[in-house]
């Protein structure tokens, strides 16, 4: 790996624990040259941010080391960031409706797995978009997802890397499918698809392991078809587990890191879903994130006004969701075409 101080100002380990082709610390000369080539091509088109080696490596791996495709993916991501004003949003983002949304759909980071990676947990069985859009909007939910990806990149992963002493770039995801029935599939699918498009198109190479627990009857049949559409590298990261998932899951996650409702022993004050417990809050490992270093004073943000179904025509929340999903589909189509 060729470190250039002009771009690479890391304050955490930058070598992966295991030798993996195309990963930091384990590059061949051609791959190093491709990093430089991609950077020069992007600079030639006026891009100056996020040109560090680790970021460019993720885009190159995501596009099988095709520099032109990697460039297209990077540019699409930068256009999306600019369109959504993500860099301005992250430092001041507040999501006060999260506790209410969590009654239907929990999304949270909580401690680390046995490899030291952040654990991300989602519960999909309670999703009720009609009820949720009385509390928030699809646009705000997707913005919150993007902000959490930014905070995964910094400060969560750097803190975890410092603690274990080697580079960590991915997280361990647990998706609980308990309660997902055929009648709920359309609404669950519509949102998860939009969220997945954001992660795949704009945050490549962030999935370490994915455990789908409490998979309903018949899911294995669906999965046998779906995995044929996925990259074999991605398929290897996904583990389909039924209701007797704990034995397998505990091979990867210590009991004390797992909330009690998933078979662990952790009972955080106020609920594990609200604690955000992890090395990123430990003074020994934590450092200020990029969005905490902005020169401008961070303003107090109590959350923008959320116009819900009680305050507006009943159809409006649905239209907001459809608009947000249409925009994401457009972005995804552009990425695929590129």
């Amino acid at each position: 790996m060729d470190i250039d101080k002009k771009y690479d100002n890391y304050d955490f380990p930058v070598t992966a624990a295991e030798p993996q082709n195309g990963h930091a610390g384990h590059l061949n000369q051609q791959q190093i040259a491709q990093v430089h080539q991609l950077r020069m091509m992007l600079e030639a088109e006026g891009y100056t941010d996020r040109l560090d080696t680790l970021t460019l490596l993720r885009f190159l791996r995501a596009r099988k080391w095709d520099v032109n495709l990697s460039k297209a993916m990077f540019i699409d991501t930068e256009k999306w960031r600019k369109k959504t004003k993500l860099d301005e949003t992250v430092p001041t983002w507040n999501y006060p409706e999260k506790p209410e949304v969590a009654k239907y759909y929990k999304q949270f980071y909580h401690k680390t797995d046995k490899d030291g990676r952040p654990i991300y947990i989602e519960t999909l069985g309670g999703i009720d978009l009609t009820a949720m859009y009385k509390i928030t909007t699809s646009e705000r939910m997707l913005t919150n997802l993007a902000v959490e990806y930014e905070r995964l990149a910094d400060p969560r992963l750097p803190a975890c890397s410092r603690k274990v002493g080697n580079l960590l770039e991915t997280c361990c995801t647990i998706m609980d499918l308990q309660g997902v029935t055929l009648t709920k599939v359309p609404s669950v699918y519509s949102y998860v698809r939009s969220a997945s498009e954001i992660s795949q198109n704009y945050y490549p190479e962030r999935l370490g392991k994915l455990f789908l627990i409490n998979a309903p009857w018949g899911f294995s049949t669906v999965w046998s078809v779906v995995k044929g559409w996925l990259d074999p590298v991605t398929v290897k990261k996904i583990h389909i587990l039924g209701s007797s998932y704990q034995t397998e899951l505990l091979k990867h996650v210590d009991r004390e890191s797992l909330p009690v409702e998933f078979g662990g022993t952790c009972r955080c004050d106020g609920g594990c879903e609200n604690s955000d417990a992890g090395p990123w809050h430990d003074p020994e490992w934590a450092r200020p994130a990029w969005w905490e270093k902005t020169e401008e004073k961070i303003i107090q943000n109590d959350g923008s006004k959320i116009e819900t179904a009680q305050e507006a025509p009943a159809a409006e929340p649905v239209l907001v969701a459809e608009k947000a999903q249409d925009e994401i589909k457009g972005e995804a189509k552009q990425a695929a075409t590129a």
Side-chain angles (χ1 to χ4, degrees):
M1 181 170 165
D2 188 9
I3 294 291
D4 187 329
K5 291 185 178 180
K6 179 181 177 181
Y7 308 97
D8 302 323
N9 299 305
Y10 306 122
D11 59 358
F12 53 87
V14 293
T15 301
E18 298 180 4
Q20 298 181 73
N21 182 38
H23 287 254
H26 307 289
L27 305 177
N28 58 41
Q29 289 302 313
Q30 180 181 353
Q31 291 165 338
I32 292 174
Q34 287 170 304
V35 171
H36 288 290
Q37 181 186 3
L38 175 58
R39 182 181 286 134
M40 287 189 294
M41 291 169 67
L42 290 169
E43 284 185 319
E45 297 207 19
Y47 293 95
T48 58
D49 296 326
R50 289 169 283 277
L51 297 181
D52 64 283
T53 301
L54 292 179
T55 297
L56 297 185
L57 283 174
R58 289 193 297 107
F59 281 86
L60 284 164
R61 292 197 302 268
R63 289 295 178 260
K64 308 300 183 188
W65 294 89
D66 185 311
V67 176
N68 288 318
L69 291 180
S70 301
K71 172 191 168 188
M73 185 182 193
F74 185 97
I75 290 175
D76 284 342
T77 299
E78 290 298 305
K79 289 179 178 178
W80 168 77
R81 294 181 73 99
K82 184 176 181 180
K83 179 180 179 181
T84 58
K85 298 181 178 180
L86 185 59
D87 290 345
E88 294 87 347
T89 299
V90 173
T92 59
W93 177 250
N94 194 12
Y95 194 49
E97 65 268 37
K98 179 179 177 179
E100 290 299 311
V101 173
K103 293 179 180 179
Y104 305 97
Y105 181 35
K106 292 181 181 179
Q107 300 169 281
F108 61 100
Y109 286 90
H110 181 267
K111 298 189 175 181
T112 59
D113 67 5
K114 291 185 178 182
D115 293 319
R117 291 177 294 204
I119 299 172
Y120 175 66
I121 300 175
E122 287 192 4
T123 59
L124 302 176
I127 288 182
D128 182 339
L129 291 183
T130 301
M132 291 161 66
Y133 290 158
K134 293 178 182 179
I135 302 167
T136 189
T137 65
S138 176
E139 182 180 4
R140 284 181 63 81
M141 290 173 63
L142 294 173
T143 297
N144 185 67
L145 176 71
V147 170
E148 289 298 333
Y149 265 118
E150 292 296 311
R151 294 178 180 177
L152 169 66
D154 192 11
R156 291 186 179 104
L157 285 169
C160 292
S161 297
R162 295 184 196 105
K163 184 175 181 179
V164 301
N166 56 258
L167 177 65
L168 294 172
E169 297 185 276
T170 61
C171 62
C172 173
T173 298
I174 300 172
M175 284 191 175
D176 186 3
L177 303 180
Q178 187 171 25
V180 175
T181 62
L182 289 177
T183 57
K184 287 187 176 182
V185 165
S187 61
V188 171
Y189 176 74
S190 66
Y191 174 77
V192 171
R193 179 182 57 187
S194 298
S196 297
E197 286 172 351
I198 287 179
S199 64
Q200 292 179 39
N201 294 337
Y202 310 129
Y203 296 98
E205 295 287 298
R206 286 303 189 199
L207 178 64
K209 293 178 182 178
L210 169 58
F211 296 95
L212 294 170
I213 64 173
N214 289 312
W217 179 85
F219 188 85
S220 58
T221 302
V222 175
W223 172 243
S224 64
V225 176
V226 172
K227 70 179 182 181
W229 307 337
L230 302 177
D231 188 294
V233 175
T234 300
V235 171
K236 290 180 180 179
K237 299 177 180 180
I238 301 175
H239 306 266
I240 311 299
L241 307 177
S243 57
S244 302
Y245 63 85
Q246 292 182 9
T247 299
E248 180 61 27
L249 186 59
L250 289 171
K251 293 179 182 178
H252 304 270
V253 181
D254 291 323
R255 285 188 182 276
E256 55 267 29
S257 295
L258 200 61
V260 290
E261 57 264 42
F262 299 107
T265 59
C266 188
R267 297 178 183 270
C268 295
D269 291 340
C272 291
E273 67 270 22
N274 299 314
S275 69
D276 194 34
W280 46 93
H281 289 301
D282 187 332
E284 183 176 359
W285 314 114
R287 305 287 186 276
W290 70 261
W291 46 270
E292 295 173 310
K293 299 175 184 176
T294 54
E295 294 181 2
E296 296 180 2
K297 183 178 179 181
I298 301 302
I299 62 172
Q300 179 63 37
N301 185 347
D302 295 322
S304 56
K305 179 171 174 55
I306 308 161
E307 190 172 79
T308 63
Q310 289 96 338
E311 300 166 333
E316 187 172 357
V318 176
L319 293 175
V320 170
E322 291 177 349
K323 180 180 178 182
Q325 291 172 359
D326 288 343
E327 289 178 352
I328 290 180
K329 289 177 183 176
E331 296 284 355
K333 185 176 179 181
Q334 290 177 7
T337 303

